[in-house]
């Protein structure tokens, strides 16, 4: 299959083209502010099956449904609690996915058999315009091969999916860089299932109490049922094994310097790049610049696959703010192979 790159900056008619692919039951990769998504008509089980096929995604992992109008939330959810309205008010459009009881129109392929649905209103203008042009809610997981780091440029999408999907809609580099925060509102208390572009602290400010799922910080065994099925898979992984080192940046630097072997790759804060002259270094932004780190992390993880490194060491940011999401992605890339120094 030929994969077309459709660039709305060059030709506005690409929205119609992508929309007609979606309406005819095809998949299209689309930009969002978090990562690129692989989209299909969320109301068609048959269309959604093509997403799973192109990604090689496990069938038990549900998909997020993307909307471009608040009214669509009511059509997709069986009911909308007050807390969902508050969150939508505070953070939509933006990098937050809200899990609600699903309406009957959601096919089983989207919910992967659960009776809930994740809904998100992305802020990326290209995504919004496409959803409106198609007139459909779009189911979309991240547009990477299952298990690989998520994609934050159309180039990344081509690396993974060229030849497997008909089109990629260009939208530039993603401005957030890590996926949306996933919060469930179906239990007694709001529950954070995946940290992402909206921080836990921001959620607490709006909702008061928020429980944190333990799959965020711990490895979950294969036979355990988890709230967000996606959290149990090894994920975001470059080809070489990753070790994440947590603690004070000066200490994590010393530790990596001492332990990194020949042909090691190092993912480190900007301040330390020059201090690893013998390693294949990828910089993820300054120690205190979490926004920059989030923006760079997937590109940096992917970049190691173009080198000969046979091990990768990563300095881990603290769990504050966006750091919780960045640390979670690194720990998952490492299969929770973590060294704690503090
Ligand atoms: O930023 C994002 O969320 C991106 C862009 C494209 O919107 N999408 C994304 O989708 O990251 P995906 O499929 O790669 O990750 C979705 C996560 C998975 O861990 C999945 O298990 C969880 O959300 N999830 C989706 N629907 C769920 C549901 N109904 N209940 C619990 N977890 C759900
Ligand atoms: Mg994903």
């Amino acid at each position: 299959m030929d994969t077309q790159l459709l660039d709305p900056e060059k030709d506005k008619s690409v929205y119609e083209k992508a929309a007609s692919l979606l309406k005819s039951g095809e998949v299209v990769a689309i930009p969002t502010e978090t990562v690129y998504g692989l989209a299909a008509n969320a109301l068609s089980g048959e269309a959604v099956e093509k997403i799973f096929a192109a990604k090689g995604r496990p069938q038990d992992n549900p998909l997020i449904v993307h909307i471009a109008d608040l009214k669509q939330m009511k059509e997709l959810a069986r009911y909308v609690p007050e807390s969902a309205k508050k969150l939508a008010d505070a953070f939509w459009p933006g990098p937050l996915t809200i899990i609600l009881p699903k309406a009957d129109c959601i096919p089983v392929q989207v919910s992967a058999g659960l009776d809930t649905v994740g809904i998100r209103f992305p802020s990326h203008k290209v995504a919004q315009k496409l959803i409106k042009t198609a007139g459909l809610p779009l189911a979309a997981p991240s547009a990477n091969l299952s298990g690989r780091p998520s994609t934050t440029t159309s180039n990344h999408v081509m690396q993974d999916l060229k030849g497997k999907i008909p089109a990629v809609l260009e939208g530039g580099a993603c401005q957030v860089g890590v996926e949306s925060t996933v919060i469930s509102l179906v239990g007694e208390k709001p529950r954070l299932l995946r940290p992402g572009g909206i921080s836990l602290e921001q959620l607490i400010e709006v909702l008061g109490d928020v429980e944190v799922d333990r799959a965020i910080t711990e490895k979950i065994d294969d036979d355990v049922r988890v709230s967000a099925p996606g959290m149990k898979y090894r994920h975001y992984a470059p080809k070489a094994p990753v070790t994440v080192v947590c603690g004070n940046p000066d200490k994590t630097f010393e530790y990596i310097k001492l332990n990194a072997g020949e042909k090691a790759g190092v993912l480190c804060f900007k301040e330390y790049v020059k201090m690893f002259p013998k390693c294949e270094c990828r910089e993820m932004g300054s120690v205190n610049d979490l926004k920059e780190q989030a923006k760079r992390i997937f590109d940096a993880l992917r970049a190691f696959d173009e080198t000969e490194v046979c091990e990768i060491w990563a300095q881990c940011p603290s769990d504050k703010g966006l750091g919780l999401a960045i640390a979670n992605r690194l720990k998952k890339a490492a299969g929770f192979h973590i060294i704690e120094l503090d």
Side-chain angles (χ1 to χ4, degrees), residues 55 57 141-142 144 150 179 194 235-236:
K55 285 193 53 141
R57 181 176 175 102
S142 50
N144 50 277
S150 299
E179 299 89 339
R194 177 176 74 178
H235 227 136
Y236 312 121

Side-chain angles (χ1 to χ4, degrees), residues 126-179:
V126 173
Q128 290 182 356
K129 178 129 194 223
L130 178 64
I131 296 168
K132 285 189 176 144
T133 308
L136 293 168
L138 298 180
S142 50
N144 50 277
L145 287 176
S146 206
R148 296 258 298 144
S150 299
T151 50
T152 52
T153 64
S154 59
N155 231 344
H156 293 162
V157 179
M158 286 293 189
Q159 285 168 6
D160 277 22
L161 297 172
K162 194 173 165 60
K164 296 192 158 99
I165 61 174
V168 180
L169 193 55
E170 179 61 69
C174 301
Q175 288 307 298
V176 177
V178 290
E179 299 89 339

Side-chain angles (χ1 to χ4, degrees), residues 34 57 61-62 64 66 99 116 120 141-142 179-180 194 227 229-230:
T34 56
R57 181 176 175 102
N61 197 1
I64 294 169
H66 298 70
I99 310 282
T116 55
R120 170 161 120 76
S142 50
E179 299 89 339
S180 63
R194 177 176 74 178
S227 310

